[in-house]
Amino acid sequence: MKSQIKLSFLLLTGILACFSIKVNAQSDRNISVLSNYDARIDTILAQMTLEEKVNMFFGIRMFSSAGVPRLGIADVEYADGPFGIREELMPNSWMPAGLGNDLATFFPTGSALAATWCPESAYDYGVAIGTEGRTRGKDMLLGPAINIQRIPTGGRTYEYLSEDPFLSARLSVGYTKGVQDQGIAACIKHYALNNQENNRGKVDVIVSPRTMREIYLPPFEAAVKEADAWGVMAAYNKVNGYWCSENDLLQNQILRNEWGFAGFIVSDWGGTHSTVAAITNGLNVEMPTGQYLGDKLLDSVRAGVVSEEIINQRACEILRVRLHVKPVPPHEANRIMTSQPRQQQIAYEVASKAIVLLKNEKTQLPLDTAKYKKIAVIGANAMQKNATGGLGAGVKALFEITPLQGLRDRLGNQVTIVYAPGYKPYRRYQEGTRTRQPECTSADPDLLKEAVNVAKDADIVLFFGGTNRDLETEGTDRESICLPSGQDELIKALAEVNPNIVSIIVSGAPVDLRAVNQYSPAILMSWFNGSAAGHALADVLLGTISPSGKLPFTLPVKLEDSPAYFLRNYPQTGEANSDIFADLVNENRSELKSTDNKDLAYYSEESLVGYRWFDTKNIKPMFPFGHGLSYTTFQYASIKTDKAKYKSDETIKVSVDLTNSGKADADEVVQIYVHRLKSKVFWPYKELKAFDRVNLKAGETKKLTLEIPVKNLRYWDEAKYDWILENGAIEILVGTSSGDIRLKTQVDI
Ligand code: GLC
């Protein structure tokens, strides 16, 4: 108690404005580089007026918040978005400024990056996008977007990384480190549990503490503890009754006190809801205006409702980032074109690693151009650009190679390529009015007829299906995962005249592939894959590189199989319901039963998100999490662990011999899952706990050793409010996907 009084005195007198908990040795709490500025900041704060401090707490332009001009401290310049630096806007509007050199690289979107299963690629990605942010004179990049993909229809599933917290966390760390190594702050978003777009500004996520800790927070925790993220964006929604932007548990207790976050929290745009609660419970900057943290905050301080120590603490957190991130002098910003060859090459490398070969019967692929002299390219998605569309996070790209362009560039006149759109792509607006979400059945008869004519005398048909950025968008979840614009009807008609079909799905999130699967001996998932999408796809189709991507999410047979739909806790329709299984899983937690309030989202599936649900409920997906084929084959042999029994502070070392038993050099992603045996605590059937992407030449064998720190096997005990390790036997499963386990062993912890 005495130390608290002393501390408050020091804080009150402003002597010690930047308060950060002293770290005890063994905790894995982040020790941020930002706290090196605290002594200097105390001096700066002592020179600042109250007005100058409060002036830093809100937007002064759409994407800027104030520094301290009198003391030569620059404004903070922000830039969207997680897969490309947004074009320059007019100072106080969303209108483009019309610059000529702010054309950026369009990087593969989140789910594509995640499909690489490559933290090193995530780092390179961060380096590239961070470089472009600095070229544009920015101090904080509003990314990575790292919420868990809870629902296949999520409007931002394409923008986020994965349904799995471990995969998301590994990539979040790489991306954040890459960005910040360029001297620009990352801003991990949206903290936390922004897993749907419908009603995102009001929805109150009701989630159990254990599920929050084990599923939804790990990507944020890893980015803070392992990458020292300097920025966090508070999400629009509520969590368990409290707005994220004023949620003391999330922002102060967990993020700052437990994890050691030392930077500042910015609201989502328009996502601030109060003055006193926001500033007290951890928010630093209200964007884009000062409705709550401007004059109202000044009045609250003068009225004694908000203390100077809180103001000093929030100001300190901003100044830490401001002093660490060097402002780009205005005359140096935008001196060159934003997108440069080095970044474009990284966009290509990520794109080429992201493409997932879902199916390849009769080894349709790679295309044998000696055999196929006439190729029919059918589907508007072969020409669809995806750098922009829908709401938010658009990239004014210097270029975007479409699939058709990529094929033409790579094939030249070796073969004849004939194209037909086959369907009208979904557009969010028609003649200025907002359209409803697309019909999924009716094909356009004329376009279908034209496409069939083109296909019938081709040697092979490349069918381009999927969605686009108008359909997968921030602010709106899809109403279904069916392929829009009658694509199912179209591919059936194509197959009737030419069964030799390779389907390429261009989408960022799961789609219903039942028809495509029925009529396609080969299927690729090609994502919203950035500026080099077409070249990467052509190189995979033609066998220049082997496909090596793995699904970062489960592809369900049908939407109703996925947990939130199966349990009917999404969309919130107000019908009371709950599934008997949900009651068992929730140990009869009445508060998690759905109710008639559409603003409440009950995460009653708990930790059974994605493959955790499909495995535990024995529901067969169309293609499982982690699935992805190659142009070669891999053999797994001789699984071993370095010990049979492990203590809580040890690390399980799992080794396997991996052989490339085919004819093509290729990458493989070895995945390790853990299954609990005879556990007293509820667990999903299995959980990803390690993975490694390796390149093997044809015929090569490598001994791989992957590590699982035993502490990563703990569960969050809600009663003890702590991570607890349950001793006992566990099974170690090694596989090429969650649905294709090749080796098993057992150890004791
Ligand atoms: C938003 C998005 C956020 C973005 C911000 C600024 O509504 O949710 O991701 O960074 O606005 O554009």
Side-chain angles (χ1 to χ4, degrees), residues 62-63 79-82 86 89 94 142-143 145 156 159-160 189-190 194 197 200 233-234 236 267-270 287 391-393 474:
M62 192 59 83
F63 281 89
D80 274 325
R86 184 197 281 259
L89 300 177
W94 293 95
L142 301 173
R156 299 179 88 158
E159 192 176 344
Y160 296 158
K189 70 185 187 179
H190 310 82
N194 167 208
E197 291 304 292
R200 64 172 172 163
M233 181 185 292
Y236 280 128
S267 77
D268 203 335
W269 268 233
M287 288 305 283
L391 189 66
E474 173 182 337

PDB file of all heavy atoms in Angstrom, residues 62-63 79-82 86 89 94 142-143 145 156 159-160 189-190 194 197 200 233-234 236 267-270 287 391-393 474, ligand 1:
ATOM      1  N   MET A  62      -7.959  13.720 -40.959  1.00  0.00           N
ATOM      2  CA  MET A  62      -8.547  12.371 -41.034  1.00  0.00           C
ATOM      3  C   MET A  62      -7.560  11.285 -40.603  1.00  0.00           C
ATOM      4  O   MET A  62      -7.946  10.302 -39.977  1.00  0.00           O
ATOM      5  CB  MET A  62      -8.996  12.101 -42.471  1.00  0.00           C
ATOM      6  CG  MET A  62      -9.853  10.885 -42.634  1.00  0.00           C
ATOM      7  SD  MET A  62     -11.355  10.983 -41.635  1.00  0.00           S
ATOM      8  CE  MET A  62     -12.385  11.951 -42.696  1.00  0.00           C
ATOM      9  N   PHE A  63      -6.289  11.494 -40.923  1.00  0.00           N
ATOM     10  CA  PHE A  63      -5.292  10.463 -40.599  1.00  0.00           C
ATOM     11  C   PHE A  63      -4.074  11.073 -39.905  1.00  0.00           C
ATOM     12  O   PHE A  63      -2.938  10.676 -40.146  1.00  0.00           O
ATOM     13  CB  PHE A  63      -4.871   9.697 -41.867  1.00  0.00           C
ATOM     14  CG  PHE A  63      -5.873   8.664 -42.293  1.00  0.00           C
ATOM     15  CD1 PHE A  63      -6.908   9.002 -43.147  1.00  0.00           C
ATOM     16  CD2 PHE A  63      -5.828   7.372 -41.800  1.00  0.00           C
ATOM     17  CE1 PHE A  63      -7.871   8.068 -43.515  1.00  0.00           C
ATOM     18  CE2 PHE A  63      -6.786   6.424 -42.165  1.00  0.00           C
ATOM     19  CZ  PHE A  63      -7.808   6.771 -43.023  1.00  0.00           C
ATOM     20  N   ALA A  79      -1.443   5.690 -41.639  1.00  0.00           N
ATOM     21  CA  ALA A  79      -1.871   5.238 -42.978  1.00  0.00           C
ATOM     22  C   ALA A  79      -2.471   3.843 -42.894  1.00  0.00           C
ATOM     23  O   ALA A  79      -1.915   2.960 -42.243  1.00  0.00           O
ATOM     24  CB  ALA A  79      -0.701   5.209 -43.936  1.00  0.00           C
ATOM     25  N   ASP A  80      -3.620   3.697 -43.550  1.00  0.00           N
ATOM     26  CA  ASP A  80      -4.119   2.329 -43.792  1.00  0.00           C
ATOM     27  C   ASP A  80      -3.175   1.716 -44.793  1.00  0.00           C
ATOM     28  O   ASP A  80      -2.471   2.455 -45.500  1.00  0.00           O
ATOM     29  CB  ASP A  80      -5.532   2.397 -44.387  1.00  0.00           C
ATOM     30  CG  ASP A  80      -6.568   2.484 -43.287  1.00  0.00           C
ATOM     31  OD1 ASP A  80      -6.348   1.870 -42.223  1.00  0.00           O
ATOM     32  OD2 ASP A  80      -7.588   3.150 -43.487  1.00  0.00           O
ATOM     33  N   GLY A  81      -3.198   0.495 -44.983  1.00  0.00           N
ATOM     34  CA  GLY A  81      -4.071  -0.546 -44.482  1.00  0.00           C
ATOM     35  C   GLY A  81      -3.208  -1.776 -44.508  1.00  0.00           C
ATOM     36  O   GLY A  81      -2.061  -1.749 -44.914  1.00  0.00           O
ATOM     37  N   PRO A  82      -3.680  -2.824 -44.114  1.00  0.00           N
ATOM     38  CA  PRO A  82      -2.775  -3.944 -43.845  1.00  0.00           C
ATOM     39  C   PRO A  82      -2.129  -4.559 -45.086  1.00  0.00           C
ATOM     40  O   PRO A  82      -1.150  -5.269 -44.960  1.00  0.00           O
ATOM     41  CB  PRO A  82      -3.694  -4.973 -43.185  1.00  0.00           C
ATOM     42  CG  PRO A  82      -4.976  -4.315 -42.925  1.00  0.00           C
ATOM     43  CD  PRO A  82      -5.055  -3.130 -43.820  1.00  0.00           C
ATOM     44  N   ARG A  86      -2.567   3.162 -48.208  1.00  0.00           N
ATOM     45  CA  ARG A  86      -3.698   3.861 -48.843  1.00  0.00           C
ATOM     46  C   ARG A  86      -3.211   5.159 -49.484  1.00  0.00           C
ATOM     47  O   ARG A  86      -2.294   5.808 -48.984  1.00  0.00           O
ATOM     48  CB  ARG A  86      -4.759   4.183 -47.785  1.00  0.00           C
ATOM     49  CG  ARG A  86      -6.025   4.819 -48.315  1.00  0.00           C
ATOM     50  CD  ARG A  86      -6.808   5.483 -47.175  1.00  0.00           C
ATOM     51  NE  ARG A  86      -7.548   4.515 -46.395  1.00  0.00           N
ATOM     52  CZ  ARG A  86      -8.859   4.299 -46.544  1.00  0.00           C
ATOM     53  NH1 ARG A  86      -9.526   4.945 -47.476  1.00  0.00           N
ATOM     54  NH2 ARG A  86      -9.508   3.433 -45.776  1.00  0.00           N
ATOM     55  N   LEU A  89      -5.003  11.287 -48.916  1.00  0.00           N
ATOM     56  CA  LEU A  89      -6.360  11.843 -48.945  1.00  0.00           C
ATOM     57  C   LEU A  89      -6.287  13.350 -48.694  1.00  0.00           C
ATOM     58  O   LEU A  89      -5.313  13.866 -48.161  1.00  0.00           O
ATOM     59  CB  LEU A  89      -7.222  11.184 -47.868  1.00  0.00           C
ATOM     60  CG  LEU A  89      -7.386   9.652 -47.981  1.00  0.00           C
ATOM     61  CD1 LEU A  89      -8.210   9.137 -46.809  1.00  0.00           C
ATOM     62  CD2 LEU A  89      -8.039   9.266 -49.290  1.00  0.00           C
ATOM     63  N   TRP A  94     -12.383  11.918 -46.865  1.00  0.00           N
ATOM     64  CA  TRP A  94     -11.981  10.618 -47.426  1.00  0.00           C
ATOM     65  C   TRP A  94     -11.674  10.791 -48.919  1.00  0.00           C
ATOM     66  O   TRP A  94     -11.442   9.811 -49.619  1.00  0.00           O
ATOM     67  CB  TRP A  94     -13.097   9.599 -47.238  1.00  0.00           C
ATOM     68  CG  TRP A  94     -13.353   9.228 -45.823  1.00  0.00           C
ATOM     69  CD1 TRP A  94     -14.278   9.767 -44.983  1.00  0.00           C
ATOM     70  CD2 TRP A  94     -12.632   8.261 -45.028  1.00  0.00           C
ATOM     71  NE1 TRP A  94     -14.206   9.194 -43.734  1.00  0.00           N
ATOM     72  CE2 TRP A  94     -13.207   8.271 -43.736  1.00  0.00           C
ATOM     73  CE3 TRP A  94     -11.579   7.413 -45.291  1.00  0.00           C
ATOM     74  CZ2 TRP A  94     -12.746   7.449 -42.694  1.00  0.00           C
ATOM     75  CZ3 TRP A  94     -11.127   6.580 -44.269  1.00  0.00           C
ATOM     76  CH2 TRP A  94     -11.705   6.605 -42.983  1.00  0.00           C
ATOM     77  N   LEU A 142      -1.614   1.314 -40.070  1.00  0.00           N
ATOM     78  CA  LEU A 142      -2.779   0.721 -39.397  1.00  0.00           C
ATOM     79  C   LEU A 142      -2.921  -0.727 -39.851  1.00  0.00           C
ATOM     80  O   LEU A 142      -3.781  -1.101 -40.629  1.00  0.00           O
ATOM     81  CB  LEU A 142      -4.022   1.554 -39.702  1.00  0.00           C
ATOM     82  CG  LEU A 142      -3.910   3.026 -39.260  1.00  0.00           C
ATOM     83  CD1 LEU A 142      -5.101   3.836 -39.732  1.00  0.00           C
ATOM     84  CD2 LEU A 142      -3.733   3.139 -37.756  1.00  0.00           C
ATOM     85  N   GLY A 143      -2.024  -1.506 -39.313  1.00  0.00           N
ATOM     86  CA  GLY A 143      -1.991  -2.943 -39.625  1.00  0.00           C
ATOM     87  C   GLY A 143      -0.883  -3.565 -38.800  1.00  0.00           C
ATOM     88  O   GLY A 143      -0.075  -2.832 -38.238  1.00  0.00           O
ATOM     89  N   ALA A 145      -3.938  -6.556 -39.512  1.00  0.00           N
ATOM     90  CA  ALA A 145      -5.298  -6.869 -39.039  1.00  0.00           C
ATOM     91  C   ALA A 145      -5.303  -8.347 -38.660  1.00  0.00           C
ATOM     92  O   ALA A 145      -5.183  -9.211 -39.526  1.00  0.00           O
ATOM     93  CB  ALA A 145      -6.325  -6.585 -40.128  1.00  0.00           C
ATOM     94  N   ARG A 156     -14.373  -9.281 -43.301  1.00  0.00           N
ATOM     95  CA  ARG A 156     -12.929  -9.028 -43.301  1.00  0.00           C
ATOM     96  C   ARG A 156     -12.118 -10.297 -43.124  1.00  0.00           C
ATOM     97  O   ARG A 156     -10.926 -10.254 -42.846  1.00  0.00           O
ATOM     98  CB  ARG A 156     -12.569  -8.004 -42.224  1.00  0.00           C
ATOM     99  CG  ARG A 156     -13.256  -6.694 -42.456  1.00  0.00           C
ATOM    100  CD  ARG A 156     -12.945  -5.667 -41.412  1.00  0.00           C
ATOM    101  NE  ARG A 156     -11.741  -4.906 -41.737  1.00  0.00           N
ATOM    102  CZ  ARG A 156     -11.492  -3.688 -41.227  1.00  0.00           C
ATOM    103  NH1 ARG A 156     -12.336  -3.144 -40.377  1.00  0.00           N
ATOM    104  NH2 ARG A 156     -10.403  -3.036 -41.558  1.00  0.00           N
ATOM    105  N   GLU A 159      -9.157 -10.124 -45.037  1.00  0.00           N
ATOM    106  CA  GLU A 159      -8.151  -9.172 -44.548  1.00  0.00           C
ATOM    107  C   GLU A 159      -7.388  -9.756 -43.368  1.00  0.00           C
ATOM    108  O   GLU A 159      -6.235  -9.423 -43.125  1.00  0.00           O
ATOM    109  CB  GLU A 159      -8.886  -7.895 -44.111  1.00  0.00           C
ATOM    110  CG  GLU A 159      -7.997  -6.721 -43.840  1.00  0.00           C
ATOM    111  CD  GLU A 159      -8.806  -5.461 -43.495  1.00  0.00           C
ATOM    112  OE1 GLU A 159     -10.029  -5.415 -43.750  1.00  0.00           O
ATOM    113  OE2 GLU A 159      -8.190  -4.532 -42.954  1.00  0.00           O
ATOM    114  N   TYR A 160      -8.062 -10.616 -42.589  1.00  0.00           N
ATOM    115  CA  TYR A 160      -7.429 -11.234 -41.420  1.00  0.00           C
ATOM    116  C   TYR A 160      -6.581 -12.418 -41.864  1.00  0.00           C
ATOM    117  O   TYR A 160      -6.484 -12.704 -43.048  1.00  0.00           O
ATOM    118  CB  TYR A 160      -8.525 -11.644 -40.424  1.00  0.00           C
ATOM    119  CG  TYR A 160      -9.317 -10.480 -39.856  1.00  0.00           C
ATOM    120  CD1 TYR A 160     -10.576 -10.648 -39.335  1.00  0.00           C
ATOM    121  CD2 TYR A 160      -8.787  -9.186 -39.841  1.00  0.00           C
ATOM    122  CE1 TYR A 160     -11.302  -9.583 -38.815  1.00  0.00           C
ATOM    123  CE2 TYR A 160      -9.507  -8.111 -39.335  1.00  0.00           C
ATOM    124  CZ  TYR A 160     -10.753  -8.304 -38.820  1.00  0.00           C
ATOM    125  OH  TYR A 160     -11.467  -7.245 -38.315  1.00  0.00           O
ATOM    126  N   LYS A 189      -4.532  -4.614 -35.034  1.00  0.00           N
ATOM    127  CA  LYS A 189      -5.961  -4.315 -34.966  1.00  0.00           C
ATOM    128  C   LYS A 189      -6.765  -5.546 -35.327  1.00  0.00           C
ATOM    129  O   LYS A 189      -6.243  -6.482 -35.950  1.00  0.00           O
ATOM    130  CB  LYS A 189      -6.285  -3.141 -35.911  1.00  0.00           C
ATOM    131  CG  LYS A 189      -6.180  -3.455 -37.403  1.00  0.00           C
ATOM    132  CD  LYS A 189      -6.394  -2.193 -38.238  1.00  0.00           C
ATOM    133  CE  LYS A 189      -6.453  -2.520 -39.714  1.00  0.00           C
ATOM    134  NZ  LYS A 189      -6.672  -1.327 -40.547  1.00  0.00           N
ATOM    135  N   HIS A 190      -8.068  -5.538 -34.859  1.00  0.00           N
ATOM    136  CA  HIS A 190      -8.761  -4.552 -34.043  1.00  0.00           C
ATOM    137  C   HIS A 190      -8.972  -5.189 -32.686  1.00  0.00           C
ATOM    138  O   HIS A 190      -9.577  -6.258 -32.596  1.00  0.00           O
ATOM    139  CB  HIS A 190     -10.122  -4.236 -34.676  1.00  0.00           C
ATOM    140  CG  HIS A 190     -10.026  -3.908 -36.127  1.00  0.00           C
ATOM    141  ND1 HIS A 190      -9.958  -4.873 -37.122  1.00  0.00           N
ATOM    142  CD2 HIS A 190      -9.932  -2.729 -36.777  1.00  0.00           C
ATOM    143  CE1 HIS A 190      -9.853  -4.272 -38.301  1.00  0.00           C
ATOM    144  NE2 HIS A 190      -9.845  -2.956 -38.114  1.00  0.00           N
ATOM    145  N   ASN A 194     -13.142  -8.451 -32.869  1.00  0.00           N
ATOM    146  CA  ASN A 194     -13.905  -7.901 -34.009  1.00  0.00           C
ATOM    147  C   ASN A 194     -13.936  -8.993 -35.069  1.00  0.00           C
ATOM    148  O   ASN A 194     -13.092  -9.037 -35.966  1.00  0.00           O
ATOM    149  CB  ASN A 194     -13.215  -6.637 -34.503  1.00  0.00           C
ATOM    150  CG  ASN A 194     -13.724  -6.176 -35.861  1.00  0.00           C
ATOM    151  OD1 ASN A 194     -13.006  -5.553 -36.624  1.00  0.00           O
ATOM    152  ND2 ASN A 194     -14.956  -6.489 -36.189  1.00  0.00           N
ATOM    153  N   GLU A 197     -18.630  -8.245 -39.262  1.00  0.00           N
ATOM    154  CA  GLU A 197     -18.807  -6.880 -39.737  1.00  0.00           C
ATOM    155  C   GLU A 197     -20.238  -6.408 -39.550  1.00  0.00           C
ATOM    156  O   GLU A 197     -20.472  -5.226 -39.336  1.00  0.00           O
ATOM    157  CB  GLU A 197     -18.376  -6.786 -41.193  1.00  0.00           C
ATOM    158  CG  GLU A 197     -16.863  -6.943 -41.379  1.00  0.00           C
ATOM    159  CD  GLU A 197     -16.080  -5.928 -40.557  1.00  0.00           C
ATOM    160  OE1 GLU A 197     -16.152  -4.728 -40.859  1.00  0.00           O
ATOM    161  OE2 GLU A 197     -15.426  -6.327 -39.580  1.00  0.00           O
ATOM    162  N   ARG A 200     -21.096  -4.205 -36.483  1.00  0.00           N
ATOM    163  CA  ARG A 200     -19.785  -4.185 -35.804  1.00  0.00           C
ATOM    164  C   ARG A 200     -19.638  -3.002 -34.860  1.00  0.00           C
ATOM    165  O   ARG A 200     -18.859  -3.046 -33.923  1.00  0.00           O
ATOM    166  CB  ARG A 200     -18.651  -4.160 -36.814  1.00  0.00           C
ATOM    167  CG  ARG A 200     -18.629  -2.904 -37.661  1.00  0.00           C
ATOM    168  CD  ARG A 200     -17.379  -2.828 -38.519  1.00  0.00           C
ATOM    169  NE  ARG A 200     -17.446  -1.733 -39.471  1.00  0.00           N
ATOM    170  CZ  ARG A 200     -16.397  -1.237 -40.094  1.00  0.00           C
ATOM    171  NH1 ARG A 200     -15.191  -1.759 -39.870  1.00  0.00           N
ATOM    172  NH2 ARG A 200     -16.506  -0.260 -40.949  1.00  0.00           N
ATOM    173  N   MET A 233      -4.981  -0.744 -32.170  1.00  0.00           N
ATOM    174  CA  MET A 233      -6.242  -0.076 -32.490  1.00  0.00           C
ATOM    175  C   MET A 233      -7.375  -0.772 -31.763  1.00  0.00           C
ATOM    176  O   MET A 233      -7.542  -1.995 -31.877  1.00  0.00           O
ATOM    177  CB  MET A 233      -6.535  -0.105 -33.994  1.00  0.00           C
ATOM    178  CG  MET A 233      -7.841   0.627 -34.336  1.00  0.00           C
ATOM    179  SD  MET A 233      -8.312   0.522 -36.067  1.00  0.00           S
ATOM    180  CE  MET A 233      -7.039   1.487 -36.840  1.00  0.00           C
ATOM    181  N   ALA A 234      -8.131   0.002 -30.988  1.00  0.00           N
ATOM    182  CA  ALA A 234      -9.271  -0.561 -30.257  1.00  0.00           C
ATOM    183  C   ALA A 234     -10.395  -0.838 -31.243  1.00  0.00           C
ATOM    184  O   ALA A 234     -10.680  -0.031 -32.118  1.00  0.00           O
ATOM    185  CB  ALA A 234      -9.738   0.422 -29.191  1.00  0.00           C
ATOM    186  N   TYR A 236     -14.289  -1.642 -32.711  1.00  0.00           N
ATOM    187  CA  TYR A 236     -15.577  -0.945 -32.594  1.00  0.00           C
ATOM    188  C   TYR A 236     -16.495  -1.564 -31.561  1.00  0.00           C
ATOM    189  O   TYR A 236     -17.315  -0.883 -30.956  1.00  0.00           O
ATOM    190  CB  TYR A 236     -16.299  -1.024 -33.943  1.00  0.00           C
ATOM    191  CG  TYR A 236     -15.852  -0.045 -34.987  1.00  0.00           C
ATOM    192  CD1 TYR A 236     -15.499  -0.471 -36.244  1.00  0.00           C
ATOM    193  CD2 TYR A 236     -15.810   1.325 -34.732  1.00  0.00           C
ATOM    194  CE1 TYR A 236     -15.111   0.422 -37.235  1.00  0.00           C
ATOM    195  CE2 TYR A 236     -15.433   2.226 -35.713  1.00  0.00           C
ATOM    196  CZ  TYR A 236     -15.081   1.766 -36.958  1.00  0.00           C
ATOM    197  OH  TYR A 236     -14.691   2.645 -37.940  1.00  0.00           O
ATOM    198  N   SER A 267      -8.295   4.745 -31.279  1.00  0.00           N
ATOM    199  CA  SER A 267      -9.625   4.143 -31.499  1.00  0.00           C
ATOM    200  C   SER A 267      -9.775   3.805 -32.964  1.00  0.00           C
ATOM    201  O   SER A 267      -9.077   4.376 -33.814  1.00  0.00           O
ATOM    202  CB  SER A 267     -10.713   5.160 -31.121  1.00  0.00           C
ATOM    203  OG  SER A 267     -10.823   6.135 -32.169  1.00  0.00           O
ATOM    204  N   ASP A 268     -10.687   2.912 -33.268  1.00  0.00           N
ATOM    205  CA  ASP A 268     -11.064   2.798 -34.661  1.00  0.00           C
ATOM    206  C   ASP A 268     -11.802   4.095 -35.009  1.00  0.00           C
ATOM    207  O   ASP A 268     -12.272   4.804 -34.114  1.00  0.00           O
ATOM    208  CB  ASP A 268     -11.945   1.557 -34.892  1.00  0.00           C
ATOM    209  CG  ASP A 268     -11.882   1.118 -36.345  1.00  0.00           C
ATOM    210  OD1 ASP A 268     -11.585   1.972 -37.218  1.00  0.00           O
ATOM    211  OD2 ASP A 268     -12.101  -0.076 -36.612  1.00  0.00           O
ATOM    212  N   TRP A 269     -11.913   4.373 -36.252  1.00  0.00           N
ATOM    213  CA  TRP A 269     -12.456   5.675 -36.678  1.00  0.00           C
ATOM    214  C   TRP A 269     -13.934   5.775 -36.307  1.00  0.00           C
ATOM    215  O   TRP A 269     -14.741   5.030 -36.816  1.00  0.00           O
ATOM    216  CB  TRP A 269     -12.220   5.860 -38.173  1.00  0.00           C
ATOM    217  CG  TRP A 269     -10.920   6.564 -38.515  1.00  0.00           C
ATOM    218  CD1 TRP A 269     -10.781   7.666 -39.304  1.00  0.00           C
ATOM    219  CD2 TRP A 269      -9.607   6.214 -38.086  1.00  0.00           C
ATOM    220  NE1 TRP A 269      -9.452   8.029 -39.411  1.00  0.00           N
ATOM    221  CE2 TRP A 269      -8.707   7.167 -38.656  1.00  0.00           C
ATOM    222  CE3 TRP A 269      -9.066   5.217 -37.278  1.00  0.00           C
ATOM    223  CZ2 TRP A 269      -7.332   7.139 -38.440  1.00  0.00           C
ATOM    224  CZ3 TRP A 269      -7.690   5.186 -37.059  1.00  0.00           C
ATOM    225  CH2 TRP A 269      -6.839   6.119 -37.627  1.00  0.00           C
ATOM    226  N   GLY A 270     -14.211   6.658 -35.352  1.00  0.00           N
ATOM    227  CA  GLY A 270     -15.578   6.786 -34.858  1.00  0.00           C
ATOM    228  C   GLY A 270     -15.897   5.783 -33.782  1.00  0.00           C
ATOM    229  O   GLY A 270     -17.053   5.632 -33.380  1.00  0.00           O
ATOM    230  N   MET A 287      -9.883   8.930 -32.859  1.00  0.00           N
ATOM    231  CA  MET A 287      -9.846   9.297 -34.287  1.00  0.00           C
ATOM    232  C   MET A 287     -11.242   9.206 -34.870  1.00  0.00           C
ATOM    233  O   MET A 287     -12.051   8.391 -34.441  1.00  0.00           O
ATOM    234  CB  MET A 287      -8.910   8.347 -35.060  1.00  0.00           C
ATOM    235  CG  MET A 287      -7.428   8.569 -34.772  1.00  0.00           C
ATOM    236  SD  MET A 287      -6.867  10.247 -35.042  1.00  0.00           S
ATOM    237  CE  MET A 287      -6.744  10.288 -36.824  1.00  0.00           C
ATOM    238  N   LEU A 391     -15.641  -1.454 -48.965  1.00  0.00           N
ATOM    239  CA  LEU A 391     -15.387  -0.349 -48.039  1.00  0.00           C
ATOM    240  C   LEU A 391     -13.989  -0.516 -47.469  1.00  0.00           C
ATOM    241  O   LEU A 391     -13.555  -1.629 -47.213  1.00  0.00           O
ATOM    242  CB  LEU A 391     -16.417  -0.469 -46.901  1.00  0.00           C
ATOM    243  CG  LEU A 391     -16.544   0.648 -45.891  1.00  0.00           C
ATOM    244  CD1 LEU A 391     -17.059   1.911 -46.556  1.00  0.00           C
ATOM    245  CD2 LEU A 391     -17.489   0.211 -44.774  1.00  0.00           C
ATOM    246  N   GLY A 392     -13.261   0.569 -47.350  1.00  0.00           N
ATOM    247  CA  GLY A 392     -12.018   0.530 -46.569  1.00  0.00           C
ATOM    248  C   GLY A 392     -10.867  -0.167 -47.267  1.00  0.00           C
ATOM    249  O   GLY A 392     -11.022  -0.810 -48.293  1.00  0.00           O
ATOM    250  N   ALA A 393      -9.688   0.008 -46.649  1.00  0.00           N
ATOM    251  CA  ALA A 393      -8.469  -0.736 -46.980  1.00  0.00           C
ATOM    252  C   ALA A 393      -8.232  -0.900 -48.470  1.00  0.00           C
ATOM    253  O   ALA A 393      -7.853  -1.965 -48.925  1.00  0.00           O
ATOM    254  CB  ALA A 393      -8.510  -2.121 -46.318  1.00  0.00           C
ATOM    255  N   GLU A 474     -15.225  -4.901 -45.694  1.00  0.00           N
ATOM    256  CA  GLU A 474     -15.433  -4.312 -44.363  1.00  0.00           C
ATOM    257  C   GLU A 474     -16.853  -3.764 -44.285  1.00  0.00           C
ATOM    258  O   GLU A 474     -17.384  -3.269 -45.272  1.00  0.00           O
ATOM    259  CB  GLU A 474     -14.421  -3.173 -44.221  1.00  0.00           C
ATOM    260  CG  GLU A 474     -14.586  -2.335 -43.006  1.00  0.00           C
ATOM    261  CD  GLU A 474     -13.576  -1.205 -42.949  1.00  0.00           C
ATOM    262  OE1 GLU A 474     -12.496  -1.317 -43.591  1.00  0.00           O
ATOM    263  OE2 GLU A 474     -13.861  -0.227 -42.279  1.00  0.00           O
TER     264      GLU A 474
HETATM  265  C1  GLC B   1     -12.033   1.587 -40.221  1.00  0.00           C
HETATM  266  C2  GLC B   1     -11.437   0.258 -40.107  1.00  0.00           C
HETATM  267  C3  GLC B   1      -9.994   0.306 -39.697  1.00  0.00           C
HETATM  268  C4  GLC B   1      -9.281   1.398 -40.475  1.00  0.00           C
HETATM  269  C5  GLC B   1      -9.915   2.732 -40.098  1.00  0.00           C
HETATM  270  C6  GLC B   1      -9.300   3.898 -40.845  1.00  0.00           C
HETATM  271  O1  GLC B   1     -13.351   1.671 -40.158  1.00  0.00           O
HETATM  272  O2  GLC B   1     -12.147  -0.604 -39.225  1.00  0.00           O
HETATM  273  O3  GLC B   1      -9.409  -0.976 -39.937  1.00  0.00           O
HETATM  274  O4  GLC B   1      -7.895   1.399 -40.158  1.00  0.00           O
HETATM  275  O5  GLC B   1     -11.307   2.742 -40.376  1.00  0.00           O
HETATM  276  O6  GLC B   1      -9.567   3.771 -42.212  1.00  0.00           O
END
